[in-house]
Amino acid sequence: MEDNTQQLEETSELRAYTHTVNAGMWVLDNEFINENQKPFEFDNHRYMIQPYGDNSPNQVIMKSAQVGWSVLAILKSIHAAKFIKLNVIYVLPTRNVVHDFVIPKVNPMIDRNPVIREMVMGSDSTSLKAIGDRFVYFRGAFHRGEAISTTADLVVADEYDVSDQGVLTVYQSRLQASEYGWFWSFSNPTIPSFGVHELWQESDQMHWFIKCESCGHDWYIGFERDDIERNHYVDKVRVIYACGMCHKEITTSARKNGEWVPKFPHLGPKVVGGENVGRRGYWLSQMMVPWVSARKILQQEKDMDIATFHNFVLGLPYQASEFMLNADAIARATRPGLADKTDVIIGCDSGKTKHYVIGNGFGIFNYGTTESWDDIETLINLFNATAVIDALPDFTIPEQLARKYPGRVFVHYYKHDTKNMDTTNRKESADFGVLESDRTKLFDMIAGEVATQKIRFYQPFKELQGIDGKGLVYHVGNMYRIVEKDSKGIDRARWETKENKPDHWAHALAYWRVGKSQMLVSGETGGVNSAEKPLKRTAPGVRADGTIPVAEAMHMDMDTLIEKSIAKNKRKRIQ
């Protein structure tokens, strides 16, 4: 009898411990029901077993719709508050979403599960739940002030991609005082290298591996067949999930009984020097859930636009290639070699540090930075170049250069223009030397020209990446295009910059493109309203003052040439 009692006590203690460390066991043992009054089960949700028990401090989930992750996030937040003793901030995109989310999803989960109901003590509102002696705050990612007012041990960012990225950064800063500092983010992805996709790329990238019952090939399901990758795929002719090796059908049972496998284990969570480093990343698509057939996947492809299908069904980011500015697009447009250095154009982004690009009518052959306006003027004279310079934040020196070199140096402003089809307009009369461009139209044009390789890059790709990986490629890749509805419900596109990321060389590239249009290279206007009289160019290969042959410069090492010329003209001052 004593042995049985002791065994029961040990079993009870083990179960209590298991509940402490594993939210999944806590859910199953207490026979929880969800917000739809259905009992939780993992038979059809076996892909959720590992994530429920995963307490990795840094997690990102790139997911499709309707896979059950919001419910998981709610329960794991309550579990973390009760058993791990964490104060949790659950972040949603807007205030309305907090109201619409807590009342229909969170509150029913609490009310219909007595075990959870007993945990809620004291404060119980739409924005705050007291779980034992800890709290779960429900907050919106729409105002920095609300983020500043609360500190936490764990931030759960729901719908990460459509939340204000600046506010999310503030929420992350609220973890600094915690000995935990956990951050879990999940969302349907939007565009490549942004939001959850950017975080997922820097994770161990967990894939749901499925073993073919016919040949034993063990791999994940992608939408398209790839004979190199050998992934399982959706066979559009037979309307089945097919094995990437033997091409026989992947059964529902096989999809149900997969396992999580990391693509990059070394990027996963671990402890180094007493600190948590690395990131766990899960990718969930509807192709891996057993109740979604291949027929339904194909029907959704037919019914949805391509971006919605990728984001909400495949759980993948999507951007039309003509609107992508990233490393892959630049790599495809790279043509390392000697570039023609006539009809040279310089684009310069102003600031304490000036970021510039130098190119001809076909592409970019050099880029760099300087602290001195004298250096920019030296480059203008060295190449007898047309230059387009950012007017902000300080208009003074760019204006002086524009007046000193009329018709060759221009200052530039971005201006939203919905009425004019042209990308850039040139001001005349008193404002001569001033250019205005619609930012969205300009970057749309640049993205399209990089994608079609009409804009080329003549340096080796490694040089474009920079020694520290923070070169031109990095800056350009920090720009992304979004489409949102305006106050009238009309879709409006715009280009944004990733939160707290540099974009200086991206803008320098934009100013170079404006300069290219100004020079009317090969008769091309590029959407620019031309001046009344065409610009007169100097003879090819000769500087304006006739002292430095460009033909000679064409055969010199670019870095040596620029450094020598800048050093020689260092004493020159703008009049």
Side-chain angles (χ1 to χ4, degrees):
M1 187 68 176
E2 291 182 2
D3 290 341
N4 290 337
T5 302
Q6 183 178 355
Q7 186 175 3
L8 287 172
E9 289 176 352
E10 290 176 351
T11 301
S12 178
E13 290 175 1
L14 178 60
R15 178 163 293 181
Y17 173 76
T18 303
H19 289 181
T20 300
V21 299
N22 192 311
M25 292 301 298
W26 171 64
V27 169
L28 279 179
D29 281 352
N30 287 290
E31 299 180 344
F32 286 170
I33 59 174
N34 62 26
E35 77 279 13
N36 297 318
Q37 301 189 50
K38 294 181 179 180
F40 278 90
E41 54 81 23
F42 286 118
D43 184 50
N44 283 320
H45 294 78
R46 295 187 188 184
Y47 61 89
M48 298 292 268
I49 294 175
Q50 179 173 323
Y52 258 99
D54 193 336
N55 289 328
S56 301
N58 193 339
Q59 297 185 36
V60 59
I61 292 81
M62 185 173 70
K63 69 179 192 69
S64 64
Q66 305 302 316
V67 293
W69 204 273
S70 290
V71 173
L72 173 148
I74 294 168
L75 291 173
K76 288 190 69 174
S77 296
I78 295 172
H79 178 270
K82 174 63 178 179
F83 295 103
I84 312 178
K85 302 298 183 182
L86 305 182
N87 285 314
V88 182
I89 301 178
Y90 195 108
V91 185
L92 294 143
T94 69
R95 187 187 298 275
N96 287 337
V97 172
V98 170
H99 185 270
D100 295 340
F101 180 82
V102 174
I103 291 176
K105 278 187 171 289
V106 179
N107 287 351
M109 199 95 64
I110 293 173
D111 294 337
R112 291 166 185 160
N113 293 285
V115 171
I116 302 178
R117 178 75 262 172
E118 291 174 3
M119 294 178 179
V120 180
M121 305 170 64
S123 298
D124 182 8
S125 66
T126 55
S127 61
L128 177 64
K129 306 292 183 184
I131 308 296
D133 57 355
R134 294 295 187 271
F135 296 94
V136 177
Y137 302 86
F138 293 91
R139 294 288 186 265
F142 64 97
H143 190 274
R144 291 174 184 258
E146 190 166 4
I148 293 173
S149 65
T150 311
T151 59
D153 305 300
L154 165 63
V155 170
V156 179
D158 193 341
E159 297 299 341
Y160 184 90
D161 276 38
V162 295
S163 296
D164 186 307
Q165 301 297 297
V167 176
L168 289 179
T169 300
V170 176
Y171 275 115
Q172 284 186 274
S173 73
R174 310 313 295 160
L175 297 169
Q176 293 176 357
S178 171
E179 64 177 297
Y180 293 93
W182 293 10
F183 187 77
W184 298 347
S185 56
F186 64 100
S187 181
N188 306 118
T190 49
I191 59 176
S193 299
F194 172 79
V196 290
H197 184 246
E198 182 179 31
L199 297 177
W200 190 78
Q201 287 178 306
E202 299 168 351
S203 75
D204 56 3
Q205 297 187 18
M206 302 289 281
H207 289 67
W208 185 247
F209 267 47
I210 299 163
K211 182 175 289 188
C212 174
E213 294 174 346
S214 297
C215 72
H217 180 51
D218 199 10
W219 211 246
Y220 67 91
I221 293 183
F223 183 63
E224 301 286 353
R225 173 175 170 175
D226 187 333
D227 289 335
I228 296 176
E229 182 76 4
R230 297 286 189 181
N231 59 274
H232 307 316
Y233 62 97
V234 178
D235 188 316
K236 298 181 181 181
V237 176
R238 295 181 291 168
V239 194
I240 62 170
Y241 295 107
C243 173
M245 185 66 71
C246 71
H247 307 295
K248 293 183 179 179
E249 184 171 6
I250 296 293
T251 66
T252 299
S253 174
R255 287 191 296 132
K256 181 190 297 187
N257 292 294
E259 63 175 342
W260 288 107
V261 177
K263 183 176 182 179
F264 301 111
H266 65 285
L267 296 179
K270 52 185 171 293
V271 178
V272 176
E275 294 187 7
N276 291 309
V277 299
R279 178 180 292 127
R280 169 77 76 238
Y282 292 99
W283 167 46
L284 290 88
S285 81
Q286 289 189 11
M287 296 179 293
M288 54 184 270
V289 299
W291 62 86
V292 179
S293 66
R295 185 176 300 278
K296 184 173 182 179
I297 295 291
L298 293 172
Q299 185 62 47
Q300 291 181 103
E301 181 196 24
K302 180 181 178 181
D303 294 343
M304 297 176 176
D305 66 80
I306 189 169
T308 302
F309 177 68
H310 276 75
N311 298 165
F312 291 90
V313 177
L314 304 184
L316 293 172
Y318 179 82
Q319 181 93 71
S321 60
E322 62 267 28
F323 295 132
M324 287 184 65
L325 277 173
N326 58 19
D328 290 340
I330 293 175
R332 288 191 293 270
T334 299
R335 300 289 187 276
L338 194 63
D340 183 7
K341 297 178 180 64
T342 56
D343 288 328
V344 172
I345 309 144
I346 296 172
C348 178
D349 189 51
S350 301
K352 182 179 179 180
T353 299
K354 293 84 178 140
H355 292 71
Y356 62 84
V357 301
I358 309 173
N360 55 29
F362 302 100
I364 305 301
F365 56 74
N366 202 276
Y367 73 102
T369 62
T370 179
E371 302 288 322
S372 170
W373 282 115
D374 291 346
D375 294 347
I376 298 299
E377 186 178 12
T378 296
L379 292 173
I380 293 170
N381 283 312
L382 170 65
F383 293 106
N384 187 30
T386 291
V388 179
I389 303 173
D390 181 16
L392 302 174
D394 185 356
F395 180 80
T396 307
I397 302 301
E399 181 186 28
Q400 290 179 21
L401 286 169
R403 292 185 182 280
K404 187 173 181 179
Y405 301 97
R408 285 179 56 202
V409 177
F410 301 86
V411 294
H412 183 273
Y413 292 94
Y414 288 122
K415 181 181 180 180
H416 181 60
D417 187 355
T418 59
K419 298 180 180 179
N420 199 322
M421 292 299 292
D422 295 317
T423 301
T424 300
N425 293 295
R426 189 166 75 197
K427 307 290 282 188
E428 303 294 346
S429 303
D431 292 323
F432 182 79
V434 175
L435 300 173
E436 295 177 339
S437 300
D438 184 290
R439 173 176 166 134
T440 300
K441 295 175 186 174
L442 180 57
F443 274 98
D444 278 355
M445 180 170 65
I446 292 169
E449 291 181 347
V450 170
T452 57
Q453 299 164 35
K454 292 180 179 178
I455 293 177
R456 302 171 185 172
F457 299 88
Y458 293 104
Q459 292 174 270
F461 186 68
K462 286 187 177 180
E463 291 183 14
L464 294 170
Q465 289 179 304
I467 297 175
D468 57 356
K470 300 296 178 66
L472 182 144
V473 172
Y474 177 67
H475 282 228
V476 172
N478 286 331
M479 301 286 293
Y480 63 97
R481 187 182 194 267
I482 61 173
V483 178
E484 293 182 334
K485 293 188 181 300
D486 64 11
S487 58
K488 298 179 180 179
I490 300 173
D491 286 341
R492 301 290 186 190
R494 72 173 188 271
W495 284 83
E496 297 283 351
T497 302
K498 295 176 184 177
E499 184 71 19
N500 297 325
K501 298 292 180 67
D503 59 2
H504 307 295
W505 277 309
H507 291 288
L509 178 64
Y511 305 143
W512 165 84
R513 183 59 183 83
V514 172
K516 172 186 172 179
S517 297
Q518 277 297 302
M519 286 186 63
L520 311 177
V521 177
S522 301
E524 176 183 311
T525 61
V528 176
N529 289 336
S530 307
E532 294 177 5
K533 296 181 180 181
L535 297 177
K536 292 183 179 181
R537 303 303 301 163
T538 58
V542 181
R543 280 184 54 193
D545 59 9
T547 59
I548 299 181
V550 178
E552 179 182 341
M554 287 173 62
H555 299 286
M556 296 179 65
D557 173 76
M558 270 301 306
D559 292 329
T560 301
L561 175 63
I562 292 173
E563 289 174 7
K564 183 182 294 185
S565 181
I566 288 176
K568 180 179 178 180
N569 293 280
K570 200 69 176 177
R571 290 174 294 177
K572 189 173 184 177
R573 290 292 181 267
I574 298 172
Q575 300 300 320

